[in-house]
Amino acid sequence: MKCSRYFTFVSLLLLIPSPVYSMGIAEDSVTTISSDLQEPYSISGNLLSGIQSEIMNLSNTYIVIQGNGIKGLGKSDEYGNYKFGNISSDIWLEHGSYSLTAFKYVSSEGKYLFGTANISLNKNQQVPNVDITLDWASEDEEKIIESFFPLLRYSLSGSVFSNVQNQIVNVSNTQIVIQRNAIRGHTKSDIFGNYYYGELYNPDELYEGSDLRYGNYSITAFKYIPSEEKFLFGTTNVTFNYNEKESDVNISLDWASKDEERIIESFFYLYEYSISGKLFSDFQNESVNVSNANIAVPKNNGCAVRKSDDYGNYKLDEYSIADWLECGDYSLTAFKYISSEGKYLFGTKSVSLHNNEEVSDVNITLDWASEDEEKIIENFLLNLIYSFSGSISSNIQSGTLDVSNANIIIQANGTLKGLTKGDIFGNYNYGDLDYGLNYGDYSLIAFKYVPSEGKYLFGTTNVSLKNVQNLSNVNITLDWASEDEENLIKDFLLNYEFRYLYGNISSNIQNETINFSNTCIVAKKNDSLKFGKYNEYGNFGKCNEYGNYRFDDDNWLEHGNYSLTAFKYVPFEEKFLYGTTNVSLERDISTYNANISLDWASEDEETIIESFFPLLRYSLSGSVFSNIQDKNIDISNTNIIIEESYIRGFGSTDECGNYNCSDLYDFYMLNYGNCSVTAFKYISSEGKFLYGTTNVFLNKNQYLSNVNIALHWASEDEEKIIEDFLPRLKYSISGKIRINSDENENIGNKKRTSSSSGSLLLKYNNSLANITSNNSSNSISEAGDIYDEENLSMSEKNKTTAKGETQNKTAVTDSMDKAKAMPELASINLIFTLFLVFCLFKRELTK
């Protein structure tokens, strides 16, 4: 019995827990920074939390970035991660210093979380792990937050419902108007009466806001009910401040009073009205086709014309007449010319666009037009677009002449209105909705030069574009041109600016397959270089992979005689292909058979080719590699700068260290001559730069590859060169939002002042760093310690507060002291337990 009691006491004593002390900074709350930040400028990090006994949702936390003349807004994702800048797109940060301010309203607490961090973008382009710790905001910090409200983007959503008694009213497509001093938005409810308006944060629009901003708004909803001939109406107010999404903004609708109807009428100009209907004929015992009839709508800024479909249906809206109709009264006029009858169908209809936005069943009945109605139609003909088509034929008796590709000039009152060509069968057409002709009289001139005869074919006809919009069978007969007709042709060709040249490249080289792609074709006129429009690839033509080339809209030629020179450098042969031909652009506006045959260039021909080098545009590619011994250096994302007399492009290598100048930012094709390629990368673990450069002379080969660069540790002079390039680089920042987790502070009861601070907790090379940020100001110089990417280690120095008091310990060292004391406390607990067991055992023995 005594033994059993003894063992019971011992068992109970052994179950007494030993005191355990935790460190206050959990391993997973400390961000690890890579020892080698190797990507181009970007910043990343986390949002941290220090609120005790609460789980805080840090998704959609706002982060405001300030510095370098920008003030932008971002948001964290569902995990609390955020990012500013994307060096692979057109949105990036520039070299310099920035302050970050994070905040989020916690509805359940009725207060804000707040934290700040600062960053200097210098050597590393992509800066990750810039984490921001949040704590409850002080009064001064709340004022800072309020100053950011104008940057926020808001949305509202809700439903409209009917408050009409004893009646079911359909509230779908109810108009919703959002106002603040002026109208800020306009939308409609869906088929269920639900609505949404507002564009929230878009990561691709760093600095732009949506239509809805901070402030007070009034929401007005209304809908016209035709069966009742009156409006439903309702209104409510909403305030945007800390909550970006205002949901359940519901609006109750009831019949509008007269005053409310006047309010509704003031919104009519917001409507995008449409009219739809059908055309009918009013003939007895006669079938008339009303497809493709014109429906004309007079407007303040002119007249819009639309055609009916194959079934006589029509619709007038912003898509069919390239503009929407405004509130007001309209008279619709429908008409169609019936060639077989030689007269018009005509009909009118009046329609009022006021209450109802979509007016349907506006049907128009057509009948034969009277003389007065035909005069009305003539006024609308000026708004029509016309086209015509026909064929070219020859009137010459002896022999068969090829009339394909004949030129057709369209003139009105001696002014050129259009130009086209016949096809290989002599057929042609001109005009559509994009480049059609207007109502009026035109003269057509067709001509073609026949080299075998040394003279021109010529023909002319007149056409009147009035009743029929799509006129066919406008045929032209050609005969030999008279002297006056030849002078007319030559005068036109001399003054016409554009010439088109088409041809093909071939080879005279036996037993070899030649790739003709990117062969250069240079046109010379009268021994001086003459080119058409300049483009980014140079002022010359180039052929495709099949050897076809052309001088047309992008690089057209002028009137005259040309010498064409084609050449291409073949690297594996280390010599040029070369060929020439002559072509005349005096007798025609285009030539289709300017073919050039290539052979290996002689020395004299190579000299000619070299004279064209200044016209060429070049590109280059290559790789970077490390010359550092006994070290495995990552050369991915190495910066590449290409210079001539100035920087022509900058960017970075891929993950394998390869680069291509066409992939660089702001790249322009390179010119003939010398250029330099500079490569550099900051290696954080070494605290210094890799650097390399090479020079290349661009002459024969336009597409130079294997321009490789060896990297070594940069000297002082080379680091100065690199520093000059840093402002050209693109940076980004990313990180995570966290909550402050200091166990020694009662966050809920702590009173914070404007000089209180949040913490940026970091782990770097296995040492802890606690960077305290002073939140008393949102300016860069006063908003806290600068995040120094070069010098990230834990400071052993004491920090002095704004009151001049000295903080001798940080949260990190406090936790470390507790951890050191844990073994000593455990020993004391064991001695106490053994002593108690001994006393109980002795007591049992004395009984």
Side-chain angles (χ1 to χ4, degrees), residues 767-782:
S767 63
L768 290 174
N770 185 346
I771 300 178
T772 303
S773 59
N774 184 348
N775 298 330
S776 60
S777 172
N778 62 349
S779 66
I780 293 174
S781 60
E782 299 177 4

Side-chain angles (χ1 to χ4, degrees), residues 617-622 640-643 648-652 658-670 675 677 698 702-704 707:
R617 297 294 179 266
Y618 299 83
S619 68
L620 51 85
S621 61
I640 301 292
I641 304 285
I642 298 180
E643 292 182 284
R648 301 287 292 183
F650 64 95
S652 59
N658 302 314
Y659 74 92
N660 190 316
C661 66
S662 61
D663 297 328
L664 302 182
Y665 309 116
D666 300 331
F667 174 73
Y668 299 92
M669 296 294 285
L670 301 170
C675 79
V677 184
L698 302 174
Q702 287 184 265
Y703 304 95
L704 202 59
V707 182

Side-chain angles (χ1 to χ4, degrees), residues 293-306:
N294 296 294
I295 301 95
V297 188
K299 299 173 60 183
N300 293 332
N301 56 351
C303 179
V305 179
R306 179 66 177 171

Side-chain angles (χ1 to χ4, degrees), residues 764-808:
Y764 183 73
N765 293 339
N766 295 320
S767 63
L768 290 174
N770 185 346
I771 300 178
T772 303
S773 59
N774 184 348
N775 298 330
S776 60
S777 172
N778 62 349
S779 66
I780 293 174
S781 60
E782 299 177 4
D785 297 336
I786 293 294
Y787 178 100
D788 189 346
E789 56 187 349
E790 303 173 45
N791 236 338
L792 189 57
S793 61
M794 183 174 128
S795 173
E796 299 292 339
K797 298 179 181 180
N798 294 332
K799 300 257 182 177
T800 303
T801 65
K803 295 181 179 180
E805 300 171 354
T806 302
Q807 298 176 341
N808 295 314

Side-chain angles (χ1 to χ4, degrees), residues 571-586:
F572 61 86
E573 296 283 350
E574 294 187 352
K575 52 186 177 179
F576 283 97
L577 289 168
Y578 177 86
T580 63
T581 193
N582 296 315
V583 63
S584 175
L585 292 176
E586 288 186 335

Side-chain angles (χ1 to χ4, degrees), residues 679-707:
F680 62 93
K681 179 177 180 178
Y682 185 68
I683 307 299
S684 301
S685 59
E686 301 289 337
K688 50 188 176 181
F689 281 99
L690 286 173
Y691 178 86
T693 186
T694 189
N695 294 314
V696 62
F697 185 71
L698 302 174
N699 52 12
K700 297 179 180 179
N701 198 350
Q702 287 184 265
Y703 304 95
L704 202 59
S705 59
N706 297 320
V707 182

